[in-house]
Amino acid sequence: MSHTLHRIKDKQPDADYVVLVMPARGINNDDVVGHYQKYIDIFKKYNPVNMGGMKIGLLLDNTPEELKVNACDDAPMVHAVFRTKEDLTGVLGEIKDKDYGFSVVVSGLLDDVRDCAEKVGLKPHSYNFSLGVYGALDKLPPRPVLEICTMCGHAMVTPGLVQKLAADIRKGKTTTEKAAEKLTRPCMCGIFNTAKAKAVLERIVESPEV
Amino acid sequence: MKIEYEKCKACGLCIPFCPVGAIGKEGDRVVIDQEECVECCLCLRNSKCPTEALYQEALQMPRSIRKAFSDPLGKHENTDLGHLGRGTEEVKTNDVTGLVHGTEYIAMAVEPGRPLVGARISDVEKIAMAIAPYVVSYDQNNPTTKLMIDQKKGLFEPSIKNEKVLSCILEFKLAAKDLNSVMKAFEEVGKEVDTVFSVGVIAATDEQGNCPAEAVIRKRGITFLETSTKVNMGLGKPLFTA
């Protein structure tokens, strides 16, 4: 599924770039575990704020070495999340140089991703564009809550949890940092941006209407 | 999802973990609205119920559809696909599979229920019927496709229409020239459904690296500054050649 698409963005610089690495099943899925381990070795050099994947685990609860041990054949893909264009450019450049051969997809603001790709001489092959949300839009939570929740494409980060944690922060029962970590764990793909969640939570707790 | 009431202390820790608001309090009891529950297991996995009062029964068709689409670890055992996930590899491996190549055709991934609302199959069918005139073919590896009884008309098996999923994906190919027409169809059917749906377009670049579909989308006022775009970097091997 398009689980890293449709992430709601607020402003530039957005500071939220997901790199996804995946074999095409039945075509180039030889030595999946060995490949995942090599890509994790690249990711870890560029300050990821999250990393891992379904059946592999999250950086929040594992070291990069533990994630490499957890890598398995039936994990569909491996991800890492970066906060700066410099880190994204660095990781793309090294992936291009190493040329391990799995497909690489970057999710982020289009112009930013293109800038980084161009700097390392990469020419995009294809795009998945988000054309927005249709239908009963009155059912959606407020936009800052969406900014956090849409970081999990499987909808495992709920508006109810964001709003409860925001209330707990206001009452002094928890901190934005601990709340952001609590929001990270339900997203088992490792694509949730903990640092961005912390920043958005800070905005939410200042905003009485959310 | 069910609650074992001999164990439940009604602490309510599970309530904020429900993505569709199906868990709530009635008096001094915590209850789960079975009509609304999408069987995603989020509450079971993450709320750390102190008395382990939450449990999931073995689900039979048609209710098992809810888990297959809503739980990221739910397999599509009710179809011959049997895999995890709500969609396919789509753009993620398009450089190797060539699922979408050239510029005459594009693909769309329309996801009823996303974000965070959930959708009944009856609403998925309304959307599928609205776009039927433009669909060239549905992706046969997609589990939503497998639930259709008439892909040309966009019809689903009647017995599953009341089932609710967190989201599912209508994934299909269409002629690039029909993009504006299908977008108008989304605007119209959007007024008829009791849910939301997210729309994505998958399009390949030409030999010069240009993507004609992008220009069509930009003409609709979409700036690509409000949401993320996924960009396939063309690093997969062997690279698909048409």
Side-chain angles (χ1 to χ4, degrees), chain B residues 82-97:
Chain B
H83 64 205
L84 290 174
R86 294 168 207 180
T88 68
E89 292 179 12
E90 32 90 0
V91 81
K92 294 192 278 286
T93 56
N94 193 45
D95 49 348
V96 173
T97 64

Side-chain angles (χ1 to χ4, degrees), chain A residues 1-2 5 7 9 28 99 101 103-104 106 108 114 123 125-129 131-132 134 136 143 158, chain B residues 16 86 89-90 92 95 114 183 194-195 197 199-201 203 205 207 214 226 228-233 237:
Chain A
M1 71 172 293
S2 309
L5 191 68
R7 288 162 91 97
K9 303 296 186 180
N28 67 352
D99 199 22
S103 296
V104 177
V106 179
R114 276 191 175 134
K123 195 168 116 180
H125 174 277
S126 38
Y127 294 95
N128 192 351
F129 300 109
L131 274 60
Y134 293 76
R143 189 176 174 92
T158 68
Chain B
R86 294 168 207 180
E89 292 179 12
E90 32 90 0
K92 294 192 278 286
D95 49 348
R114 184 175 178 183
M183 295 304 291
D194 188 33
T195 186
F197 52 100
V199 175
V201 163
T205 55
E207 287 176 1
E214 181 184 341
E226 299 284 319
S228 56
T229 299
K230 283 168 72 174
V231 183
N232 182 312
M233 292 295 169
K237 300 278 179 355

